[in-house]
Amino acid sequence: MLAKKGEGRVSPNPLVGAVVFDDNFNIISEGYHAKYGENHAERNALLNTSADLSGKSIIVNLEPCSHYGKTPPCADLIIEKGLKKVIIGMIDPNPLVSGSGIKKLKEAGIEVITGVLEDECLMFNEIFIKNQLEKMPFITIKTAVTLDGKIAARTGNSKWITDETSRYEVQKLRNKYDAVLTSSNTVIKDNPSLTCRMKNGRNPIRIVIDTTLKTTGDFNVYNDDKTPVIIITGENIPDDKILNFNYNVKIIKCPMKNKRVDLSKAVSLLYKEGIKSILVEAGAFLNNSFIQEGLVDKLIQFIAPKILSDKEGIDFSQGCIRQNISECNTLKLVSTKKLKSDIMIVGYFCKNKLFKV
């Protein structure tokens, strides 16, 4: 998809692509939003050609903007170029501008068609929608499990449950999300770097939930000085304990809940830091905490054709005592994809009411 080319580089803006075509559906020009602060997709599509665009049409997955931001309004340029039809996937969710671009186009005599592949467009810009409507980060949990639901053996060993194709999909996710979050326990046990290891990829900000600040600056996650790291720790941690980290590490003290960092408050603080999307790559108890707090929007799970057959193996989420199936957290699955040897499933938690899925 054209808009997908901007993945990892346009946040906090949405992913947008635009195609200009004639009455015979011949493509005249196309463009996408490539980087935050640069031209929007429609502007690129309209300026990427010297052809006369009078009487032509444009299709775009998100309503053209009608206000001045870092760039001039795209709706104005569409009118200026003399296009006759604009086809829109979804209306801008920002309550302050929603529908104003469409209104401006219609007032200029341009035919506007909306709601084309709307569900697909909503899911494609799920992060932007959550940010606009709730002023909170979009949060996804990523897990890799055996057929019997284990993310690791009882020893903590998890390399490798899934194959190289699945692991490359994870690198693509790290490129997409603003930040990847894990726990201090995972840092201590696995010593991960949590970087993006794909060609031309962008390293996410790394976030470590460390209530008692038991990790130290020696771990891999803290030693890539080109990428910021945020440690969320307890509000009572003394200042002299936070000095032994590199300059790229920011430590944020957070209110506590049940002797642990209050995850709801932590997520709110991270949004204020400019983090619009978070990929959680953590262990069973932190995964469960995020789920039970109702903070998770989406689950991406890679399932490998392996069976551990050990009740002491580690589940991807644990920490609750429940008596009935009716107490389950439920999801609506939106896709199932066969990879090389694994399966990738994607679902929204049903508490999420933002998307028509």
Side-chain angles (χ1 to χ4, degrees):
M1 190 175 185
L2 188 62
K4 199 174 179 69
K5 292 182 178 181
E7 214 166 58
R9 292 169 176 81
V10 303
S11 179
N13 284 353
L15 295 163
V16 185
V19 177
V20 181
F21 59 95
D22 62 21
D23 288 342
N24 295 316
F25 300 102
N26 297 310
I27 294 176
I28 298 170
S29 181
E30 59 186 29
Y32 66 97
H33 185 30
K35 188 177 180 180
Y36 176 67
E38 296 184 358
N39 284 344
H40 292 180
E42 303 96 313
R43 184 164 292 273
N44 280 330
L46 295 170
L47 298 179
N48 281 347
T49 178
S50 59
D52 180 8
L53 300 181
S54 299
K56 303 304 187 291
S57 301
I58 188 170
I59 184 167
V60 60
N61 59 294
L62 180 70
E63 176 185 0
C65 63
S66 59
H67 62 286
Y68 280 87
K70 290 187 176 293
T71 59
C74 293
D76 289 0
L77 186 59
I78 291 171
I79 295 167
E80 178 187 326
K81 291 291 185 178
L83 276 73
K84 69 173 184 179
K85 182 188 295 184
V86 179
I87 301 169
I88 298 169
M90 61 170 282
I91 297 171
D92 192 322
N94 184 344
L96 298 177
V97 299
S98 181
S100 59
I102 293 170
K103 182 174 183 288
K104 180 177 281 191
L105 294 170
K106 286 182 175 180
E107 288 176 347
I110 296 173
E111 180 185 358
V112 179
I113 299 172
T114 60
V116 177
L117 297 177
E118 184 177 26
D119 283 352
E120 289 83 350
C121 292
L122 288 166
M123 288 187 284
F124 188 66
N125 267 313
E126 60 198 4
I127 292 169
F128 181 68
I129 296 170
K130 174 78 178 291
N131 297 163
Q132 292 298 316
L133 297 185
E134 295 192 1
K135 305 301 179 188
M136 291 285 277
F138 186 91
I139 299 178
T140 295
I141 287 180
K142 184 279 300 179
T143 67
V145 300
T146 60
L147 283 174
D148 48 345
K150 306 299 182 181
I151 60 171
R154 64 172 68 194
T155 60
N157 175 263
S158 61
K159 292 183 172 55
W160 292 104
I161 289 175
T162 52
D163 63 24
E164 66 278 5
T165 302
S166 297
R167 298 199 294 275
Y168 183 72
E169 290 291 328
V170 174
Q171 301 308 312
K172 289 161 64 176
L173 290 171
R174 290 181 182 176
N175 178 64
K176 173 181 177 179
Y177 283 76
D178 285 352
V180 58
L181 180 150
T182 196
S183 67
S184 55
N185 285 339
T186 298
V187 170
I188 292 167
K189 288 179 181 178
D190 297 343
N191 197 19
S193 296
L194 299 178
T195 53
C196 176
R197 296 181 293 278
M198 61 178 283
K199 186 177 179 180
N200 299 321
R202 172 199 56 86
N203 282 342
I205 295 169
R206 277 77 53 81
I207 302 167
V208 179
I209 304 292
D210 189 351
T211 300
T212 60
L213 205 57
K214 59 186 178 182
T215 57
T216 66
D218 299 329
F219 288 99
N220 289 337
V221 71
Y222 303 127
N223 286 312
D224 171 18
D225 58 8
K226 296 179 181 178
T227 307
V229 182
I230 296 174
I231 299 176
I232 303 291
T233 193
E235 60 186 347
N236 297 323
I237 295 297
D239 290 339
D240 60 3
K241 196 175 181 181
I242 67 177
L243 301 176
N244 299 319
F245 291 90
N246 293 337
Y247 67 89
N248 64 310
V249 179
K250 181 173 185 175
I251 298 178
I252 298 176
K253 293 183 180 182
C254 181
M256 306 282 283
K257 181 179 179 181
N258 299 326
K259 298 183 179 180
R260 298 180 182 274
V261 161
D262 185 328
L263 291 180
S264 294
K265 296 284 178 57
V267 168
S268 181
L269 290 171
L270 289 169
Y271 189 78
K272 291 177 181 177
E273 291 289 320
I275 293 173
K276 308 301 184 184
S277 58
I278 299 171
L279 181 68
V280 177
E281 296 190 43
F285 291 101
L286 187 55
N287 285 343
N288 179 67
S289 295
F290 267 98
I291 292 169
Q292 302 316 319
E293 289 285 337
L295 298 172
V296 187
D297 299 289
K298 187 175 182 180
L299 174 72
I300 299 177
Q301 189 164 79
F302 297 88
I303 304 174
K306 299 174 182 177
I307 300 173
L308 187 62
S309 296
D310 184 350
K311 69 177 182 178
E312 300 298 327
I314 301 170
D315 299 325
F316 95 85
S317 175
Q318 60 187 51
C320 292
I321 298 175
R322 289 174 168 170
Q323 307 296 327
N324 300 296
I325 293 297
S326 61
E327 298 175 89
C328 288
N329 298 98
T330 56
L331 296 91
K332 180 161 185 177
L333 297 185
V334 293
S335 70
T336 303
K337 182 179 180 182
K338 173 71 168 64
L339 302 174
K340 183 179 180 181
S341 59
D342 305 327
I343 295 172
M344 180 174 74
I345 63 170
V346 179
Y348 289 105
F349 281 82
C350 290
K351 67 94 187 174
N352 190 315
K353 305 300 183 185
L354 298 178
F355 312 107
K356 299 176 183 178
V357 295

